[in-house]
Amino acid sequence: MIAAGPVDEIGHEVLAEVGVGTGAGLAGLFAAKPAGDKDMFFRKLEDCRVPRWSKGRVVPMGDSACAFLPTAGVGASTAMESAAVLGDELGRTDAMGVELALRHYETRRRKRAEGAQTASRRIAGLMFVKSTPVAWGRDQLMKFYSIAEFAKEIELSLTEPI
Ligand SMILES: Cc1cc2nc3c(=O)[nH]c(=O)nc-3n(C[C@H](O)[C@H](O)[C@H](O)COP(=O)(O)OP(=O)(O)OC[C@H]3O[C@@H](n4cnc5c(N)ncnc54)[C@H](O)[C@@H]3O)c2cc1C
């Protein structure tokens, strides 16, 4: 179970300490939660990207290169695509060519991974709305908007080569 919302409303110190939200509207949400559940944790919904993808014989991959918000549902797929490309590049070279292979990996992956991340940020902009009237308006509009249209950018990218 995930409860997401503005940190100032959920009260993240409280969440971190006892794993229960106390903000307005959250009372009772965790009523069924076992007392003293140690598996509950607080996680800030944020992402990040690294300024460079290769240094010598080291490359970051997956979330360590380009961490995703859980808004588009493509972080794991992107990480797996990157793993496939890295394997492909390393499989075409020997020890002497590793650094070049890693630069090729960056060239092939960076734009696509960061593009998907940008799409997930755009979706977050629609989801993370604080204003109640704006959220209401969004919810009304969403009734006329299919999930296919909502995720069109991401769906299109999945038809392109990795
Ligand atoms: C709530 C939520 C929902 C999501 N939903 C989706 C979804 O529906 N679809 C989708 O595609 N993606 C989704 N994602 C994103 C996806 O989970 C990540 O993008 C993906 O797991 C990244 O894979 P990774 O291998 O790079 O990193 P991780 O899966 O984070 O793996 C890193 C591993 O390294 C381990 N580790 C860390 N430090 C060390 C260390 N020092 N020594 C040894 N091991 C270490 C960690 O324990 C972890 O097991 C979601 C993410 C969140 C938070």
Side-chain angles (χ1 to χ4, degrees), residues 2 43 61-64 68 70 73-77 79:
I2 299 172
R43 181 190 163 127
M61 200 174 59
D63 274 11
S64 63
F68 280 78
V74 289
S77 344

Side-chain angles (χ1 to χ4, degrees), residues 144-158:
F144 306 97
Y145 210 48
S146 73
I147 189 73
E149 278 173 296
F150 191 61
K152 193 159 61 184
E153 200 179 346
I154 288 170
E155 199 173 314
L156 192 69
S157 79
L158 294 177

Side-chain angles (χ1 to χ4, degrees), residues 17 25 36 60 62 70 77 102-103 120 130:
E17 200 180 316
S77 344
L102 297 184
R103 286 201 297 277
S120 76
K130 272 190 169 181

Side-chain angles (χ1 to χ4, degrees), residues 118-139:
T118 300
S120 76
R121 287 177 177 177
R122 228 171 268 140
I123 294 174
L126 276 173
M127 291 168 94
F128 302 166
V129 170
K130 272 190 169 181
S131 152
T132 305
V134 175
W136 181 87
R138 175 207 56 201
D139 292 349

Side-chain angles (χ1 to χ4, degrees), residues 95-116:
M96 295 288 287
V98 168
E99 290 190 22
L100 180 62
L102 297 184
R103 286 201 297 277
H104 285 165
Y105 156 76
E106 175 172 3
T107 305
R108 284 175 66 183
R109 289 304 304 159
R110 186 168 188 160
K111 192 169 168 228
R112 183 174 166 88
E114 290 185 349

